[in-house]
Structures are given as structure tokens and as C-alpha cells.
Amino acid sequence: MRADATTISSEPIVKKRSNSSFWKTFLRYKWLYLLMVPGIVYYLVYHYVPMFGLVVAFKKYNLMKGMWGSEWVGFDNFRTIFTSPEFPSLLRNTILISVYRILFNMVPDVLLALMLNEIRVNWFKRIVQTITYGPHFLSWIIVYGLVFSFFAPGAGLVTTFFRDLGWGELDVLANSEYFRSLLVSTDIWKSTGFGAIIYLAALSSINHELYEAAVVDGAGRWRQLWHITLPGIREVFILLLILRIGHIMDAGFEQVYIFLNARVYDVGDILDTWIFRRGIEQMEFSVPAAMGVFKSVIGLALVIGANKLAKKVGGSGIW
């Protein structure tokens, strides 16, 4: 009986101690918790609260009746999407453009980071970094203005050069054969320098004693690159690859919408541009909302699948 009494009486003490320990820890790191508040508020306001708007995808939304007063239609909006004759083409264009971005945009980031890491002249390295990072801070409207000045039909610098040399008319902006290549190449030019920053940070975390040991063993620069440098950035590469796979249904709306024109709709019209036309231009909100739900579900499934695959091949994944 005494043992039972001791056990029972000790429980409140343990709880009191745990509570006091929590408040001591909270007070000790109160300023760090305070720094977390803006980030938490941002995600609550712009990411979690808008999730309640997903019910629009299951309603026939009416602006006058509001979100809760509109009529429930179940999965009718999803049936409208999947039975639309435009849907196969939209899905194909979205996936192809996203896959091209993943295949051709990640390798230049790594190559630029490796080259910058080998430069020993600091002033030259800073100049190269400034030149390559600069395009990232330009908006896609400015980038399109630069591209238009070079490839405008009949008046661009490059098209005029081709015509003056007798090589014929060069049509890049309005040619469906070149549109996807144009998107990928301009995205490489704009984002490669900034993307290399992450890999440079990963390269700086590699233990230099590994390189010293490799030199003692007689390994050259290529051997060091293959056995030390590339394995050192493998985890970062896999992490970024998983994140890009999760956004495979996006395909870069801003860039595509700015570069898109009527002559390249068959190869450039994607899910997001279709959502913009139906939702903003035609003021039809329910079907685009259903398309957004479809994209989110596919993106979540891709992230989970890519994360499991990364763990199977030896990576750490996201979680």
C-alpha cells in the first residue's frame, strides 16, 4: 500500500516538473520563438487558411451566393476536366515541359558550381558569380523583352542578321518546333547561376582532409571529383530533385504565360495557363479549383514516391 501511495503521489510531481521544464526552456529561447512567429503566421495565412477554399472544387460556385451558399455538385467539376478534349494535350505539355526543365536545368547548376569551386583567383571568381547570378533577379517580362529584341519576326537582331545574309526568315517565337527549347534555354540562362549557390554551399561543407588524403594516395583532380566531390553533393542533388518532381505539374506558369502565343498553343498551353483563362478571364472558379486539387494530389503522390525511391537507392530523402 505504501508503494502504491508513493507511486500515485509522485505523478503530479512529475507533471509539475515537466511543465516547469517546458516553461524554463520557452523563456530561455523566447527570442528564437519570437523569430518563428512571422514564418508561422505566413504559412497559416497564405497556405493553411486558403485550404478551406478547396470546397469550391466540389460546388457550382456563384459569386452572389458565396462559397458556403453555392450548390454542391460533388465530382461533376472533375468529370468536366477529365472529359474535356483539351485535357490530354494540357497534361502532356505540362509534363513534357517540366521533365525538360528537370533533365536540362539541374546539370548546369552542378557544372557551374564545380567550375566556380575550382577557380582560385578570387577577383575573377566574384566577377563570374556576379554575371551568372544577375539574370535570376530579372523578371520574366524583362527576359521576354530581351528575347523579343533578338528574335522578333522580321525586326529582331538575330532574325535581321539571318535575312541580310540570305539565310531566310528565322521564326523562333511563333514556331511550335522551337517553343519548348526556347523555354528551357531561357530558364537555364536565368536560373543556373542562382541554383549553383546551393551546390557551392554543399561543396564548402566537404572535409578538406579527404582531398589531402586523396593527394597522398596519388589521386588526380578527376579522381577527387569522382570519389569525393560528387558524393559530397549527392544528398543535396537528390533533395532538390525530389522537390522539383513535386512541382512537375506546375511547369513554370509565369514564363509560359508570357512566352505563349496563339501559334504555339498546341505545344505550350499547360494546366496553369488553362486555369488562368477559365478562372480569371472567364470568371469560372469551380472547374479551375478542381484542376488545382488534381494538381496538388498528383504532386503529393510524386513527392512521396520520389522520397521512397531516393531512400531505396541510398539517399536520405526529405523525411
Side-chain angles (χ1 to χ4, degrees):
M1 293 297 293
R2 291 182 179 178
D4 295 340
T6 304
T7 304
I8 294 172
S9 62
S10 64
E11 289 181 358
I13 297 176
V14 173
K15 290 182 179 180
K16 187 179 294 185
R17 286 178 180 175
S18 62
N19 290 335
S20 62
S21 176
F22 168 78
W23 286 111
K24 285 181 180 179
T25 304
F26 180 81
L27 292 175
R28 182 179 179 182
Y29 299 105
K30 58 182 180 296
W31 298 115
L32 296 178
Y33 287 117
L34 185 62
L35 290 174
M36 292 172 57
V37 171
I40 294 173
V41 172
Y42 167 80
Y43 277 96
L44 286 175
V45 174
Y46 293 102
H47 291 270
Y48 287 97
V49 173
M51 286 184 180
F52 292 102
L54 295 178
V55 297
V56 175
F58 303 94
K59 291 192 170 192
K60 187 176 180 180
Y61 183 72
N62 188 306
L63 283 174
M64 302 302 295
K65 296 180 180 180
M67 184 168 63
W68 302 112
S70 300
E71 177 187 356
W72 286 95
V73 294
F75 292 95
D76 288 350
N77 294 323
F78 293 92
R79 295 190 188 97
T80 302
I81 293 172
F82 299 141
T83 57
S84 172
E86 298 175 324
F87 180 73
S89 175
L90 294 171
L91 186 61
R92 182 180 65 253
N93 293 337
T94 302
I95 293 176
L96 283 177
I97 293 174
S98 296
V99 171
Y100 290 158
R101 287 175 181 272
I102 294 174
L103 292 178
F104 298 107
N105 284 25
M106 295 194 69
V107 175
D109 295 352
V110 177
L111 293 178
L112 179 60
L114 293 175
M115 288 188 290
L116 290 174
N117 189 57
E118 295 297 324
I119 296 177
R120 297 294 178 260
V121 183
N122 290 330
W123 65 267
F124 181 72
K125 183 177 182 178
R126 286 194 295 267
I127 291 175
V128 174
Q129 286 177 324
T130 302
I131 294 174
T132 55
Y133 295 171
H136 172 77
F137 301 99
L138 300 177
S139 68
W140 279 114
I141 295 177
I142 296 176
V143 174
Y144 179 76
L146 294 173
V147 174
F148 188 82
S149 65
F150 282 98
F151 297 104
L157 181 63
V158 177
T159 53
T160 303
F161 179 74
F162 264 65
R163 185 177 63 250
D164 293 343
L165 291 178
W167 294 348
E169 292 291 337
L170 181 64
D171 187 10
V172 175
L173 297 178
N175 193 325
S176 59
E177 295 181 2
Y178 302 133
F179 183 74
R180 292 170 182 164
S181 301
L182 182 64
L183 291 179
V184 174
S185 58
T186 52
D187 189 49
I188 291 174
W189 177 77
K190 187 176 185 295
S191 61
T192 296
F194 193 80
I197 294 177
I198 301 175
Y199 294 105
L200 284 173
L203 289 170
S204 64
S205 65
I206 298 176
N207 190 351
H208 286 278
E209 293 181 357
L210 297 175
Y211 292 103
E212 296 174 359
V215 171
V216 172
D217 292 338
R221 298 302 300 175
W222 289 108
R223 287 287 183 180
Q224 296 175 33
L225 174 67
W226 184 257
H227 294 287
I228 300 175
T229 304
L230 292 180
I233 62 175
R234 184 185 63 177
E235 297 294 334
V236 176
F237 184 87
I238 292 175
L239 174 62
L240 295 178
L241 178 61
I242 293 173
L243 294 176
R244 291 203 178 199
I245 289 176
H247 289 279
I248 203 170
M249 301 299 290
D250 294 335
F253 163 74
E254 184 179 358
Q255 180 195 14
V256 176
Y257 183 75
I258 292 172
F259 279 74
L260 195 63
N261 58 76
R263 293 181 59 184
V264 295
Y265 262 58
D266 56 334
V267 296
D269 198 17
I270 61 175
L271 296 176
D272 283 342
T273 54
W274 182 86
I275 289 172
F276 183 84
R277 290 197 303 273
R278 294 286 293 263
I280 304 299
E281 296 178 358
Q282 301 179 18
M283 300 295 288
E284 183 181 352
F285 300 104
S286 297
V287 176
M291 182 72 84
V293 173
F294 166 74
K295 285 179 50 185
S296 300
V297 171
I298 297 299
L300 177 62
L302 289 173
V303 168
I304 294 175
N307 188 70
K308 289 184 177 180
L309 182 61
K311 289 183 176 180
K312 287 185 178 181
V313 298
S316 59
I318 299 178
W319 62 85

